[in-house]
Amino acid sequence: MKKLIPSYVRVPLIFAIVFGAMEYFIDSGDKPAFIKYPMVMLFLGVFLFLLIAIEIVVSAIDKVTYHLLTDEQKKQLEEAQSLPFTESAFYKNILKKLTRSKEIEQEADVMLDHNYDGIRELDNVLPPWWVYLFYGCIIFAGIYLIRYQIMGGDNQAQEFDKEVAAAKIAVAEYNKTAPDQMNKEKVTLLTDAASIAAGKDIFTKNCIPCHRADAGGQIGPNLTDDMWINGGGIKNVFNTIMEGGRDGKGMISWKATIKPTDIQKVASYVLSLQGSKPVNPKPTEPEAKKWVEEATSKNANQPATTDTTKVAAKVIAVK
């Protein structure tokens, strides 16, 4: 039957709605989803093909049904559903070119002689819309073959690896200027060689005047024994470097000079020096107490300070 909305309006409208929904719900970054994800393009192509095919089939069924109506019913239907654009010569010409369909009255012209139990066969040509889509698929397959199999275009795995590498570079660039969120509550002990080496470099540039290169202590205390003034362990060491030592006589705060993540590396390096036995270590200060991890402490009378790390070390502090 004739539709209130013609197929050349209905098909693009439905396709546009589905296309817009996929672009909205699929996060494809700065590229359209159908370009970034080939499967989306494939889905849209198949959907458009099926949409057109359904419209053609429904149109053919409507045409057959229309010819089964009486003249009075046809007249009533045309009066109820006729619209200017459906009756236009342009619309009828486009539909004829896409389908090349024969009217029922012209079926005798394409009727074959073959007859089987009264069933006759029509020698209709393939609809042009189907042929055009078929040729389009062949052209797409050829371009795809040349692009990815001959010219070595990136497959999905290679595209993923490149995007991950680019994301890591972007994160590294962001971290250069991003606010440092490391604090005493989140700090953890670093044990990898790169972090320890970075901590040693910062220690060498800033801490040697007070603690010596071997951390045996000079103005500041010996950092290699198990005696502590402000508490040992990564959290206490980090906090002392960050905020400074004892009021009036301890080490200054380094948070304005060294980034918190770098302070974490320095603290981890200091903890790695535990038990290194430097030459001529500075005597222990009277205020220092032996640090014992709560989890490993066996003597209830021995001074202990709560910490979650399992490596004991001495804080960088100027007495």
Side-chain angles (χ1 to χ4, degrees), residues 171-182:
V171 170
E173 290 297 322
Y174 171 79
N175 288 334
K176 291 179 180 179
T177 57
D180 200 323
Q181 302 298 323
M182 184 58 66

Side-chain angles (χ1 to χ4, degrees), residues 12-86:
L13 180 61
I14 296 175
F15 181 79
I17 292 173
V18 174
F19 179 86
M22 297 193 71
E23 288 293 334
Y24 179 79
F25 289 108
I26 297 178
D27 184 9
S28 57
D30 57 345
K31 296 181 179 179
F34 76 95
I35 293 179
K36 189 171 184 179
Y37 304 113
M39 290 303 296
V40 174
M41 181 184 294
L42 178 62
F43 170 82
L44 290 173
V46 172
F47 177 76
L48 181 60
F49 176 84
L50 294 176
L51 195 60
I52 295 175
I54 292 173
E55 287 292 335
I56 295 295
V57 172
V58 171
S59 177
I61 294 174
D62 283 350
K63 185 180 295 186
V64 173
T65 306
Y66 180 77
H67 282 280
L68 295 177
L69 299 176
T70 64
D71 292 339
E72 183 64 25
Q73 289 173 329
K74 291 178 181 179
K75 183 178 180 180
Q76 292 176 355
L77 185 63
E78 290 175 355
E79 291 176 353
Q81 295 186 341
S82 63
L83 292 173
F85 47 76
T86 61

Side-chain angles (χ1 to χ4, degrees), residues 212 214-218 221-225 277-284:
R212 292 184 5 204
D214 59 5
Q218 191 161 303
N222 176 12
L223 304 177
T224 65
D225 59 20
K277 298 180 180 180
V279 179
N280 299 320
K282 183 179 179 179
T284 303

Side-chain angles (χ1 to χ4, degrees), residues 221-222 225 227-228 281-289 314 319:
N222 176 12
D225 59 20
M227 303 302 291
W228 303 88
K282 183 179 179 179
T284 303
E285 295 286 341
E287 300 173 66
K289 296 180 181 180
K314 185 167 182 172
K319 304 292 174 69

Side-chain angles (χ1 to χ4, degrees), residues 2-18:
K2 295 181 180 179
K3 303 295 190 304
L4 294 177
I5 302 178
S7 58
Y8 66 83
V9 174
R10 186 169 55 253
V11 170
L13 180 61
I14 296 175
F15 181 79
I17 292 173
V18 174

Side-chain angles (χ1 to χ4, degrees), residues 147-267:
R147 175 70 177 85
Y148 292 100
Q149 301 299 324
I150 298 177
M151 299 181 64
D154 293 340
N155 58 32
Q156 291 181 335
Q158 292 170 328
E159 288 179 353
F160 174 79
D161 292 338
K162 287 185 177 181
E163 290 182 4
V164 170
K168 289 181 178 179
I169 294 174
V171 170
E173 290 297 322
Y174 171 79
N175 288 334
K176 291 179 180 179
T177 57
D180 200 323
Q181 302 298 323
M182 184 58 66
N183 56 47
K184 181 181 178 181
E185 302 304 322
K186 296 196 301 184
V187 69
T188 56
L189 180 67
L190 302 175
T191 58
D192 61 285
S195 298
I196 297 300
K200 180 179 180 181
D201 182 62
I202 299 172
F203 180 89
T204 302
K205 293 178 180 178
N206 298 280
C207 308
I208 284 179
C210 294
H211 297 283
R212 292 184 5 204
D214 59 5
Q218 191 161 303
I219 300 174
N222 176 12
L223 304 177
T224 65
D225 59 20
D226 56 359
M227 303 302 291
W228 303 88
I229 297 175
N230 295 306
I234 186 63
K235 293 187 182 295
N236 289 322
V237 173
F238 174 88
N239 188 65
T240 303
I241 301 173
M242 186 90 166
E243 303 297 338
R246 295 165 295 173
D247 293 338
K249 56 184 298 188
M251 182 179 64
I252 62 170
S253 169
W254 287 92
K255 63 183 178 183
T257 307
I258 306 176
K259 293 195 305 183
T261 49
D262 288 338
I263 291 178
Q264 179 187 24
K265 296 173 184 177
V266 176

